[in-house]
Amino acid sequence: MRARLLLAVPAAAAAALTTLAPAAGAATGSAAPTPTCKQPAVSVSAAAAQRADVLHIKVTNRGAGTCVVDRIPTVTFGALDGAAQPVPPAESAPYRLAAGGTAHAAVRTAEPAGGAQMRVVDFVTVAADPSHRGRAISADALGLPQGVRVWEPVTTWWQPSWAKADEALQDATR
């Protein structure tokens, strides 16, 4: 896996970012900024998709109010350095989650050209925001008892549905 510099944004800095850039669909003006989702208020999950070397990940806001996470999920692989790169390439920005709202992303863990450089890991860690510690999910829990194959992984931005996430991944990896 090629290394990716992973910039962890402290919670205070992430909160400051939300004051600089309005969340998707947020009105601009004198309204108070939407707060960053706290890790205990969101749940993340992942499972193998039907397409080979693709994971579906999901974040749900279990809190009582609207909050924001980074528009790019943070997905790391076992003890390997780096994280899945966003497709299309993008900088961090807020993604708004209503109370009870869910967002989806698709992660291609390996491209076929990985060959001898392909790695296999026993778990992935998924975080809805780089300020969160994330949740480690075993390969077995993902439905991949042989392990997760990794070579140049990429992730979509958060999307409103699995279909949109799959479409975004397909468009970006053609």
Side-chain angles (χ1 to χ4, degrees):
M1 180 171 112
R2 291 185 185 170
R4 171 186 173 205
L5 179 59
L6 179 62
L7 301 175
V9 179
L17 284 175
T18 62
T19 64
L20 298 175
T28 57
S30 62
T34 305
T36 299
C37 299
K38 302 294 183 208
Q39 184 166 342
V42 296
S43 64
V44 292
S45 61
Q50 289 180 339
R51 190 171 145 197
D53 296 320
V54 174
L55 301 176
H56 279 160
I57 61 174
K58 175 173 79 170
V59 61
T60 301
N61 178 0
R62 299 178 313 177
T66 298
C67 59
V68 296
V69 294
D70 195 287
R71 72 174 164 186
I72 304 165
T74 303
V75 183
T76 59
F77 301 87
L80 299 176
D81 289 338
Q85 295 291 300
V87 288
E91 298 293 324
S92 293
Y95 184 90
R96 188 181 179 111
L97 277 175
T102 298
H104 308 270
V107 179
R108 187 202 64 208
T109 63
E111 71 173 41
Q117 297 177 351
M118 188 89 57
R119 301 290 181 252
V120 178
V121 298
D122 294 331
F123 68 95
V124 299
T125 302
V126 179
D129 191 88
S131 66
H132 297 175
R133 180 179 206 101
R135 176 179 171 218
I137 305 168
S138 72
D140 283 338
L142 293 168
L144 301 169
Q146 302 299 320
V148 179
R149 296 169 5 112
V150 183
W151 175 249
E152 298 202 358
V154 295
T155 182
T156 64
W157 303 359
W158 291 117
Q159 302 291 327
S161 69
W162 293 128
K164 292 285 187 188
D166 286 339
E167 181 180 320
L169 183 62
Q170 185 173 354
D171 289 349
T173 58
R174 287 182 200 205

